[in-house]
Amino acid sequence: MLRTTYHEALDATNASVVRLGFMLIDSLQSANRALFTADTALAARVIAGADTDERLRRTIEASCIELIWKQQPLAGELTHVAVMLELTTDFQRIGYYATEIAKHAVRIAEMGLFPARANLEPMAAEVERALAEAVEAYRDRNPILAARAAASVDDIENRYIDGIAALQIAMQTEADIVPAGTEMLFVLAALQRINAHTVNLAEHTTDLIEKDRERP
């Protein structure tokens, strides 16, 4: 009976992790959409929603700690709980950077300038895709999706470098766009950091899948 209750709590916590992952996918997509459409109302909703994401993350963290201390977890259970804790750490940073993109979206919209936009849109779309694949990989224990999400790092890094170069050229050409260009630099950096944490998510999921396979 105790083990049944424990597994029910483990499953509930796992479901919350998946829910938080999809909430952050929505936050990132909304922040990017707000940026590209100058939708300050949407950006404000992303910023306001950060507290909800953080409350759920803290609840998951507390549940994981309780799962460890409530009774002695078996090896597989302990591995799963440890991975959930690692995921919530990366989720926290992803949520932070998505909120930062929304804040930059507001400032860029107020300036009415959008330098080197053509370089940013493909990068944003690729970061969104990789994050969605990483969360789905964890939900479905799908090693193929996890590998695809992890493999995004090189493409994102190349897009980041190209974006920086394009912004430098634009700001050297027109002094008036320097403030907006600076905001764009921060957006590029936020997207790069989101992808780094996305790769972490994918690698944690891969580790979990491999350890599950190793157990008899």
Side-chain angles (χ1 to χ4, degrees), residues 2-3 43 59 84-85 93 112 115-116 128 145 171 182 190 208 212:
L2 287 175
R3 299 308 300 172
T59 298
M84 289 193 294
L85 280 170
R93 302 312 298 162
E128 289 178 13
L145 280 179
M171 288 190 287
T182 301
L208 179 61
D212 283 343

Side-chain angles (χ1 to χ4, degrees), residues 6 11 21 26 39-40 49 51 55 62 86 90 101 122 127 130 146 150 152 157 162-163 184 202 211:
Y6 186 88
D11 290 345
D26 182 67
D39 189 337
T40 56
D51 289 341
R55 281 195 297 271
E86 289 170 332
D90 286 302
I101 291 172
V127 172
S152 66
E157 187 62 26
D162 290 345
M184 290 289 290
K211 287 176 181 176

Side-chain angles (χ1 to χ4, degrees), residues 10 14 17 75-87 137-143 146 200-215:
L10 184 64
N14 180 71
V17 171
E77 297 164 348
L78 184 58
T79 297
H80 191 180
V81 174
V83 166
M84 289 193 294
L85 280 170
E86 289 170 332
L87 294 182
Y138 173 77
R139 180 194 62 191
D140 301 335
R141 300 295 191 272
N142 187 321
N200 287 346
L201 298 177
E203 290 177 346
H204 295 322
T205 296
T206 298
D207 289 344
L208 179 61
I209 293 169
E210 290 177 351
K211 287 176 181 176
D212 283 343
R213 285 174 174 172
E214 290 170 2
R215 277 187 288 274

Side-chain angles (χ1 to χ4, degrees), residues 157-202:
E157 187 62 26
N158 289 335
R159 291 183 185 278
Y160 173 74
I161 292 169
D162 290 345
I164 295 291
L167 279 169
Q168 287 175 335
I169 292 171
M171 288 190 287
Q172 288 169 0
T173 304
E174 299 180 61
D176 290 346
I177 68 169
V178 169
T182 301
E183 295 290 336
M184 290 289 290
L185 287 171
F186 284 121
V187 172
L188 281 168
L191 288 169
Q192 182 199 41
R193 295 310 304 157
I194 287 172
N195 186 249
H197 289 288
T198 294
V199 171
N200 287 346
L201 298 177

Side-chain angles (χ1 to χ4, degrees), residues 1 3 8 27 40 42 44 54 86 96 99 105 133-134 140 155-156 201 205 212 216:
M1 183 63 181
R3 299 308 300 172
E8 288 175 351
S27 293
T40 56
L42 179 57
E54 180 59 14
E86 289 170 332
Y96 168 79
T99 302
E133 287 179 344
D140 301 335
D155 182 54
I156 295 301
L201 298 177
T205 296
D212 283 343

Side-chain angles (χ1 to χ4, degrees), residues 12-66:
T13 304
N14 180 71
S16 293
V17 171
V18 173
R19 181 157 64 94
L20 177 57
F22 279 100
M23 288 168 63
L24 291 172
I25 292 169
D26 182 67
S27 293
L28 176 59
Q29 291 174 339
S30 295
N32 287 338
R33 188 162 64 252
L35 176 67
F36 296 125
T37 62
D39 189 337
T40 56
L42 179 57
R45 287 199 294 274
V46 173
I47 296 166
D51 289 341
T52 301
D53 295 343
E54 180 59 14
R55 281 195 297 271
L56 179 55
R57 188 197 67 80
R58 290 179 180 174
T59 298
I60 293 168
E61 193 174 71
S63 297
C64 287
I65 293 170
E66 184 178 353

Side-chain angles (χ1 to χ4, degrees), residues 76-125:
E77 297 164 348
L78 184 58
T79 297
H80 191 180
V81 174
V83 166
M84 289 193 294
L85 280 170
E86 289 170 332
L87 294 182
T88 58
T89 299
D90 286 302
F91 281 156
Q92 180 184 40
R93 302 312 298 162
I94 289 170
Y96 168 79
Y97 287 116
T99 302
E100 287 298 296
I101 291 172
K103 292 176 180 178
H104 292 302
V106 172
R107 290 192 281 270
I108 290 170
E110 290 171 348
M111 293 175 186
L113 298 170
F114 206 144
R117 171 175 176 158
N119 294 79
L120 185 63
E121 288 189 273
M123 180 178 178

